[in-house]
Amino acid sequence: MTSIDLARKVDGLSDLELALLLSFVANEHCLIETEEEALKSLGQEVLAIASNTFSRTHALIDCSEDTTLDEFTHGLLIESTDVGDAQSTSNTDLIQAAPLSRSTAHHAAASRIERAEQKNGTKESSQELRIADVVILKNLSLADYEIQIQALELIRSKRIYTNTAVYTAPKCFCVAFIQEAANPPLNKHLIDHIFMSHYHDPEDGFANLEAASELIADDGSSSSSVVRKPVFHRPKDSVERTFSEADIQNLVQQAKDVTVTAEVKQYLQNIVTFLRLHRAVDGGITPRATKYFDTLVKCLAPLHGLEFVTPPLVDLAARKVYPHRIVRTVPDRERSLQYGSDLAAVTAYLEGVTPESIVEDVLASVETPL
């Protein structure tokens, strides 16, 4: 496939599809936030994207304060026989994309392990089970600290350990953290290993779910008395929009070949410096964040049909890499107090400051190269 054909594919993607595509190209993980009323639909949309757009196996874990380590570990696993299922689905196939409840998902995973035991005579069989290509962790910030650390270990080592087996993640692996925008933040070490973040406005809709709903409505008009499980059809144009492994590797190679001029590199570094020195920032601008910043600008270029990085791409990357990382300072730690600033005035200033506004303030302050 030529670069022009690939660019046309990219042009037809939604914001959520682009977020997952960038994660696959960078071989990293993403955070997607939305409002409470849209969170369930967001989970279903990401599942549908994993199947329809990227032909990947998937697993969704709905976390809460009651989630146990066993439930989390088993929720990551799928049967090895499912590996080719997503890639062999035709346009007329139905894709099961409704997430299971937490308890149902745990029982389903336990059932898979039990079948593996019966077939192989062992307690667990790493040949019968594997980690899904796309793992969606819903509301992980509500789960216990140990669960979040287990998620951190998964994305760092690409391995998960049970009592009797070790499971290795596939080569092309992505964890999508989805949660309400108002949720408490994730563990700071976990946050630092999340490549990029994206806020999905519910008003932007869910392309795959809406297309599926229209098809289901047409199909069900004459069979309203039949009880159906929630399933999602592939959109009619899914063949043109599906990204194969070859397409992703093509984008990976293009990203490696992207040119960054000295002026743009200096612009990128100036943004990092200004963020670290911003009076409202108390942390989060880590070396890993800078590495991801540099990676994302290169991944964005081929998606825009470019062989070089432009300042607008740097601005876009900054808006995706830093907002979820920035730790806002508290009034009594704001550095201008050391030089005589009034605490009440500092408090009033910080009340309206958000991570997004900090990034925008820095982008407006740093001189853009011509």
Side-chain angles (χ1 to χ4, degrees), residues 15-280:
D15 59 336
L16 295 174
E17 289 171 325
L18 283 170
L20 282 181
L21 177 60
L22 285 167
S23 299
F24 279 127
V25 173
N27 196 23
E28 296 292 347
H29 316 282
C30 62
L31 168 66
I32 305 174
E33 296 180 316
T34 191
E35 300 304 320
E36 179 182 3
E37 66 275 9
L39 188 60
K40 181 179 179 181
S41 295
L42 175 61
Q44 294 176 342
E45 177 72 6
V46 176
L47 286 173
I49 289 171
S51 292
N52 296 348
T53 307
F54 298 105
S55 299
R56 304 287 177 182
T57 58
H58 48 71
L60 185 147
I61 305 176
D62 192 353
C63 301
S64 72
E65 59 273 11
D66 297 324
T67 302
T68 67
L69 196 57
D70 282 344
E71 288 173 340
F72 177 80
T73 303
H74 294 157
L76 301 170
L77 305 177
I78 61 171
E79 292 184 359
S80 296
T81 53
D82 294 337
V83 173
D85 290 351
Q87 297 177 350
S88 61
T89 307
S90 66
N91 279 351
T92 57
D93 288 336
L94 300 177
I95 303 298
Q96 175 67 41
L100 301 174
S101 67
R102 183 176 59 85
S103 59
T104 305
H106 173 59
H107 290 312
S111 176
R112 291 194 294 269
I113 292 176
E114 185 178 351
R115 289 197 297 271
E117 293 172 8
Q118 294 172 351
K119 183 174 181 179
N120 296 278
T122 58
K123 188 168 184 182
E124 291 183 9
S125 171
S126 59
Q127 284 138 7
E128 288 297 319
L129 299 174
R130 63 181 285 269
I131 299 175
D133 298 327
V134 179
V135 173
I136 300 125
L137 300 182
K138 180 179 175 182
N139 282 333
L140 182 66
S141 61
L142 303 180
D144 289 341
Y145 175 82
E146 290 77 10
I147 305 295
Q148 297 189 38
I149 293 301
Q150 191 73 7
L152 173 60
E153 182 64 23
L154 172 64
I155 64 177
R156 285 184 68 252
S157 66
K158 291 193 174 183
R159 287 193 179 99
I160 201 76
Y161 297 86
T162 65
N163 292 333
T164 58
V166 179
Y167 298 95
T168 303
K171 183 178 180 181
C172 193
F173 174 61
C174 174
V175 177
F177 301 85
I178 65 172
Q179 64 181 30
E180 298 173 25
N183 272 14
L186 292 160
N187 175 276
K188 65 178 183 179
H189 302 293
L190 180 57
I191 285 176
D192 196 35
H193 283 78
I194 296 176
F195 177 56
M196 58 171 284
S197 63
H198 173 70
Y199 173 78
H200 182 74
D201 191 331
E203 294 184 0
D204 292 338
F206 301 94
N208 285 270
L209 298 190
E210 290 164 3
S213 297
E214 292 175 2
L215 290 172
I216 291 174
D218 292 341
D219 183 57
S221 59
S222 61
S223 56
S224 58
S225 63
V226 178
V227 177
R228 296 174 179 269
K229 292 183 178 180
V231 293
F232 298 95
H233 297 260
R234 281 178 179 268
K236 294 179 181 179
D237 62 343
S238 61
V239 173
E240 291 76 15
R241 295 170 62 247
T242 299
F243 279 76
S244 66
E245 181 64 27
D247 293 334
I248 293 176
Q249 291 305 314
N250 189 348
L251 288 171
V252 169
Q253 187 57 50
Q254 290 185 49
K256 290 179 180 178
D257 296 336
V258 166
T259 300
V260 182
T261 64
E263 293 79 11
V264 171
K265 186 68 174 180
Q266 182 180 10
Y267 179 56
L268 187 150
Q269 294 297 333
N270 286 343
I271 290 174
V272 174
T273 301
F274 274 58
L275 281 170
R276 285 179 176 157
L277 296 177
H278 195 281
R279 62 183 298 188

